[in-house]
Amino acid sequence: TQLTYVIYTSGSTGKPKGVLIEHGTVVNLINAQSSFFNVNSDDKILQFSNYSFDASVEQMYLALLNGATLVLITEDLILNGEEFENYLNKNNVTHLHATPSFLENLNPDNFKSLKRVIAGGDICKKELADKWKNKVAFYNEYGPTETTVTSIEYKDFGENEFNISLPIGKPLSNIRIHIVNSENEICPVGIAGELCISGDCLARGYLN
């Protein structure tokens, strides 16, 4: 399919690389997330992430391709906890997708309209999910830039069976996950290995 955007990531190398993302993988992402989150035209989705980060792609197109409202916000408001809360309440934001470290500083009781909260970009502690339990639908998502924002996701049902952190969950629609050893053989259940992702999420490659 046609190229949609190029976004730069340093990954673990520290050297920025331009990742080539195609139209079809963005469409697959939004179709999968729209269904998983049950997004509709009544939703008001905050564009929390700056457009230089790939999480903004999910936030923008999840709103625009569902006829929902995309709510923009300034960095100053994000950095001021009380003003951030007031802004979300004033605009009746229903969908908040942010990093676990940011979410840890929020008080769930102060938000009137939120329906779902999504943590992404770092390890999500069990305590964070417990904090939002019975107030919103809480999700933990994972995905490198090269797999079009999000490729694996978990919905927390508040069962508290995890000791330290939430799992990253299962692959989105049309995506496959394999955990392999150094010989590229599938690891048995419970054995650590390398996470390999395939399917309708992979970038075309790197620029140049």
Side-chain angles (χ1 to χ4, degrees):
T1 62
Q2 291 186 332
L3 190 68
T4 301
Y5 63 87
V6 180
I7 196 161
Y8 279 80
T9 179
S10 61
S12 58
T13 65
K15 183 178 180 181
K17 295 177 290 186
V19 181
L20 302 164
I21 300 294
E22 297 181 341
H23 180 270
T25 63
V26 176
V27 170
N28 188 72
L29 169 72
I30 300 306
N31 281 341
Q33 295 294 58
S34 298
S35 176
F36 197 68
F37 295 143
N38 195 26
V39 173
N40 59 49
S41 59
D42 294 329
D43 272 299
K44 292 178 171 57
I45 297 173
L46 185 71
Q47 188 187 326
F48 177 86
S49 300
N50 185 288
Y51 60 80
S52 63
F53 297 102
D54 68 342
S56 67
V57 172
E58 180 173 319
Q59 295 157 17
M60 286 188 289
Y61 290 111
L62 197 57
L64 300 178
L65 295 183
N66 281 290
T69 302
L70 180 65
V71 179
L72 305 181
I73 191 169
T74 64
E75 186 176 3
D76 289 343
L77 283 173
I78 289 176
L79 296 176
N80 186 313
E82 185 176 350
E83 290 188 17
F84 179 81
E85 293 173 358
N86 292 337
Y87 187 78
L88 265 62
N89 288 328
K90 178 183 176 182
N91 288 279
N92 297 312
V93 170
T94 60
H95 180 108
L96 172 60
H97 172 193
T99 60
S101 59
F102 183 86
L103 296 172
E104 286 171 359
N105 294 317
L106 301 181
N107 184 347
D109 294 324
N110 293 347
F111 296 93
K112 302 172 183 176
S113 54
L114 279 181
K115 295 194 300 187
R116 69 187 75 87
V117 169
I118 298 95
D122 205 346
I123 293 171
C124 181
K125 298 175 183 175
K126 183 180 88 64
E127 289 80 9
L128 178 59
D130 289 343
K131 182 178 174 181
W132 290 89
K133 186 172 64 175
N134 301 325
K135 301 181 186 301
V136 298
F138 189 89
Y139 303 83
N140 185 31
E141 63 179 36
Y142 168 84
T145 301
E146 291 86 346
T147 63
T148 314
V149 190
T150 303
S151 48
I152 308 173
E153 195 154 53
Y154 174 78
K155 181 177 182 180
D156 182 55
F157 292 99
E159 296 167 351
N160 298 319
E161 71 270 38
F162 309 108
N163 294 325
I164 301 174
S165 61
L166 258 61
I168 55 175
K170 296 183 178 181
L172 273 59
S173 300
N174 303 313
I175 297 173
R176 293 173 297 282
I177 301 296
H178 304 283
I179 299 175
V180 301
N181 61 22
S182 58
E183 303 297 323
N184 283 333
E185 298 167 333
I186 301 295
C187 292
V189 173
I191 302 300
E194 183 178 15
L195 183 67
C196 293
I197 305 172
S198 64
D200 294 341
C201 63
L202 296 184
R204 181 185 294 180
Y206 295 112
L207 183 64
N208 300 322

